[in-house]
Amino acid sequence: MARSDSDVEVEVSSESPLDKRRDGGHIQWAAEPMLEKIISVVPGLLYVFNQNTQSNEYTNRSLGEMMGYTAEELRQMRDTFLPTVCHPDDMARIVDYFGQIRRLQDGDVAEIVYRIWHKSGGWRHLLSQDTVFERAPDGSVLRHIGIATDITVQKNAETALQEMNETLSVINRELEELTYVATHDMKSSIVNISGLAAALADVVDPNDDEAHELIALIQRSTSEATNTIQSIVTIAQNRERMETAPASPQDLAASFAEVQRALQPQLDALNATVTTHIPPSLQVIFPPLQLQSVLKNLLHNAIRYHTAARPLVVTLTARPAKDGGVQVWFADNGRGVDLARDRERIFQLFQRGGNHDLEGSGIGLYLVRQMMRRARGAVSVQSTPGGGATFVLGFSGTG
Amino acid sequence: MNAPQIDRILLIDDDDVTAFLVQRLVQKSGMVGTLHRASDGLEGLEMLNAAARGEAEKPDVILLDINMPRMTGIEFLAAYEQLPETTRSGVVIVMFTTSLLERDRRTAEASPHVQGFFNKPLSREQLTELAALTQYAS
């Protein structure tokens, strides 16, 4: 980094790409014309620092002026410039950083971010990147060259983003708590209503058909409400698990085989055929339990929405994607999806495609999309009505 | 009527309707000798301490709700841990809740004193299970 703006007379080796010139009583280093052009367009501060004299031998512009100080103010501060304007918490790191520069190997680049007080008020964040420019005969670093860039805008954006993330985390925790309290309290009330309805059924006249029918309707309604609450809890828990479960490389074929084994009795009952085309050892980056959940939901979906017109056939095809991820096509020959109506609907909470003649909670595909998105992936559907559906999973290369 | 299979149950639950429904099932089943009720964990602890002093009978089973005012079921378990061994011996604790959250179940099951996790409402099958647990405990 640029320690000060003072220009000091020094001897330089003849190999230096910079020329020495006398200007206003100080020796400065003038660049070759082309180099000078390049230097003039470099944003921030370019400097050559001499370790022996502990001062800059060349700077393309003044750090002090960049920070809004007048020449007179800089003259008065001179050697105390840096301690005066640098953030006190950063000074010790800067001293360490100079030691680090002295230990640099040729070609290595050291960097540091520190804060300088701008005269107009407020800290400016500077990023300095330094590398060895010239060594002394004993091999020690004689000069280093560096660039100091004002990254305040970027730092402020990072800080704002971090603050926003923290705010969102707080909101998320509050929503989770709300979900917990709401589901618990609703479930308590519903369980009580259900229990009271059962108690009522015990005491009303056994021959009062209307009363028993009404009680049965209460029981059905409480059962539906309980299922809805259970679905909400499942979603909340899935979210919580995704947050805590780390993604790691998973063998896709092995994961799917496990899911298939779990659902084999239902597949056998439908005389279903399941075929996979997965390159050996193909891995996806995903939390293991969530990967199985995604595949299980899709296979379960294929089983539920099979058509009686033909035996169920499920085909899973996977290929490495160009972006380092994996693309998976999960195809069935079931009822298919009316894309004009249901392309997005089927992935929405408590929404189901088709004519709702089958039992379903309406959260399976919602969970699939939620899990894929959490792992920076995507899911979409292709289909022709009556001709089956193909769910396309795009697994990210990083998970 | 057959002899009760469980002598004494202590229900620790703040919900009156739950208490009513448990009381009703206990009466109808004839499987339980006496049912006492504490409205929260603190009252439950006081009843256990009273039993330790010989001022009340020690329960064979504690049906423990989780979400309660003053002292939750989870807090009760921590306090229960501090009771003398003689107060705790022969007592079966079963969590009794509407909570659907895994984390509640995990927390409760982490306690060495919890021997079951029942979802409300209480059923005859659960009473039978409780009777088996008390026999195993004795």
Side-chain angles (χ1 to χ4, degrees):
Chain A
M1 63 174 294
R3 179 167 266 194
S4 76
D5 291 326
S6 60
D7 300 311
V8 181
E9 187 165 359
V10 289
E11 290 298 321
V12 200
S13 73
S14 57
E15 290 82 17
S16 170
L18 303 170
D19 293 331
K20 193 162 60 169
R21 79 176 178 205
R22 186 168 291 278
D23 184 4
H26 299 295
I27 287 183
Q28 294 186 326
W29 298 100
E32 297 281 352
M34 189 183 75
L35 200 53
E36 201 161 14
K37 283 268 185 205
I38 294 169
I39 288 167
S40 68
V41 296
V42 170
L45 183 69
L46 180 69
Y47 50 85
V48 175
F49 185 83
N50 187 304
Q51 291 281 351
N52 284 349
T53 62
Q54 289 291 293
S55 61
N56 283 333
E57 290 182 345
Y58 173 82
T59 59
N60 63 336
R61 53 181 67 92
S62 157
L63 174 63
E65 286 168 14
M66 270 172 74
M67 293 296 118
Y69 298 92
T70 63
E72 176 56 23
E73 286 166 333
L74 292 170
R75 194 189 60 75
Q76 284 174 7
M77 282 191 272
R78 197 160 175 85
D79 292 341
T80 61
F81 173 73
L82 196 58
T84 306
V85 299
C86 181
H87 194 290
D89 292 350
D90 293 343
M91 270 312 292
R93 285 195 305 113
I94 288 171
V95 172
D96 288 348
Y97 183 69
F98 271 96
Q100 188 185 335
I101 291 172
R102 283 192 291 273
R103 294 188 296 275
L104 280 179
Q105 300 295 310
D106 289 344
D108 287 353
V109 177
E111 63 177 52
I112 185 172
V113 176
Y114 52 98
R115 288 158 290 180
I116 298 289
W117 184 256
H118 196 278
K119 198 190 165 193
S120 63
W123 294 105
R124 294 293 171 94
H125 296 262
L126 294 184
L127 165 68
S128 278
Q129 295 166 296
D130 296 86
T131 192
V132 175
F133 182 57
E134 190 181 358
R135 290 188 183 276
D138 66 358
S140 63
V141 175
L142 175 62
R143 295 183 173 86
H144 70 260
I145 186 166
I147 295 177
T149 316
D150 188 340
I151 57 165
T152 308
V153 172
Q154 181 192 332
K155 277 300 240 187
N156 288 347
E158 281 172 15
T159 306
L161 188 62
Q162 196 180 343
E163 283 169 1
M164 202 181 292
N165 278 340
E166 282 164 9
T167 306
L168 282 174
S169 291
V170 169
I171 292 170
N172 271 344
R173 279 198 296 277
E174 285 171 359
L175 282 174
E176 277 167 18
E177 199 54 33
L178 180 67
T179 306
Y180 173 80
V181 172
T183 53
H184 175 271
D185 289 1
M186 279 195 286
K187 177 89 190 301
S188 301
S189 300
I190 289 162
V191 162
N192 282 346
I193 294 167
S194 176
L196 292 170
L200 193 59
D202 281 349
V203 295
V204 298
D205 181 351
N207 298 316
D208 189 340
D209 292 342
E210 192 182 4
H212 283 283
E213 195 180 333
L214 290 172
I215 291 166
L217 286 172
I218 293 172
Q219 296 282 31
R220 202 173 81 188
S221 296
T222 56
S223 170
E224 285 168 2
T226 302
N227 289 341
T228 302
I229 291 168
Q230 179 63 64
S231 297
I232 293 169
V233 171
T234 302
I235 290 161
Q237 284 180 338
N238 186 66
R239 234 181 67 96
E240 199 177 320
R241 283 197 213 110
M242 281 297 281
E243 270 173 17
T244 52
S248 56
Q250 304 299 320
D251 186 307
L252 183 63
S255 292
F256 184 67
E258 199 162 326
V259 167
Q260 191 183 335
R261 267 196 300 279
L263 295 178
Q264 198 57 49
Q266 288 142 278
L267 291 166
D268 289 344
L270 294 173
N271 198 22
T273 307
V274 178
T275 313
T276 60
H277 304 286
I278 305 172
S281 306
L282 182 68
Q283 293 185 321
V284 295
I285 312 293
F286 217 76
L289 289 177
Q290 279 67 27
L291 176 61
Q292 291 201 2
S293 182
V294 165
L295 298 173
K296 194 170 185 178
N297 269 304
L298 290 179
L299 190 52
H300 202 262
N301 202 61
I303 291 168
R304 173 173 286 158
Y305 294 104
H306 77 280
T307 169
R310 51 191 175 264
L312 174 62
V313 176
V314 173
T315 311
L316 190 152
T317 308
R319 294 278 176 274
K322 283 177 187 166
D323 62 359
V326 171
Q327 194 87 349
V328 173
W329 292 265
F330 191 104
D332 66 50
N333 64 341
R335 294 177 175 195
V337 176
D338 179 356
L339 293 180
R341 177 175 177 268
D342 292 333
R343 182 193 292 275
E344 284 303 310
R345 243 169 79 91
I346 56 171
F347 294 109
Q348 289 167 5
L349 187 57
F350 297 134
Q351 300 291 328
R352 288 184 292 149
N355 52 15
H356 292 203
D357 57 328
L358 295 171
E359 291 264 320
S361 61
I363 64 166
L365 292 176
Y366 171 82
L367 285 174
V368 168
R369 174 168 276 183
Q370 194 185 42
M371 288 187 277
M372 291 302 294
R373 282 181 173 169
R374 286 254 161 183
R376 299 186 185 86
V379 58
S380 59
V381 65
Q382 302 167 349
S383 179
T384 50
T390 300
F391 289 91
V392 185
L393 303 169
F395 289 94
S396 148
T398 53
Chain B
M1 185 181 276
N2 294 331
Q5 296 169 36
I6 308 165
D7 288 335
R8 288 170 298 279
I9 290 182
L10 170 60
L11 171 68
I12 305 180
D13 197 320
D14 60 316
D15 187 64
D16 291 339
V17 178
T18 300
F20 166 77
L21 292 171
V22 170
Q23 173 71 31
R24 196 169 182 280
L25 180 69
V26 161
Q27 276 174 354
K28 284 172 71 78
S29 70
M31 294 171 67
V32 181
T34 54
L35 172 73
H36 291 284
R37 183 210 171 180
S39 294
D40 57 36
L42 211 55
E43 198 178 320
L45 272 185
E46 285 164 8
M47 291 171 83
L48 286 179
N49 284 325
R53 294 191 300 270
E55 297 164 7
E57 287 186 303
K58 188 159 74 171
D60 305 295
V61 171
I62 294 175
L63 282 177
L64 180 61
D65 187 24
I66 291 179
N67 287 282
M68 290 180 287
R70 294 207 301 165
M71 182 185 276
T72 67
I74 302 299
E75 290 164 345
F76 172 87
L77 288 173
Y80 183 83
E81 180 73 36
Q82 306 304 318
L83 294 178
E85 170 62 26
T86 49
T87 309
R88 291 187 273 126
S89 69
V91 180
V92 169
I93 298 181
V94 171
M95 304 308 292
F96 184 52
T97 178
T98 48
S99 174
L100 300 162
L101 291 185
E102 279 174 18
R103 70 169 183 234
D104 280 345
R105 180 180 281 264
R106 280 198 302 269
T107 309
E109 285 176 349
S111 166
H113 306 292
V114 173
Q115 292 177 40
F117 197 101
F118 284 179
N119 282 316
K120 292 178 185 177
L122 190 65
S123 64
R124 280 176 185 270
E125 292 71 26
Q126 286 172 333
L127 275 184
T128 308
E129 207 176 318
L130 279 182
L133 280 172
T134 53
Q135 276 161 26
Y136 179 75
S138 63

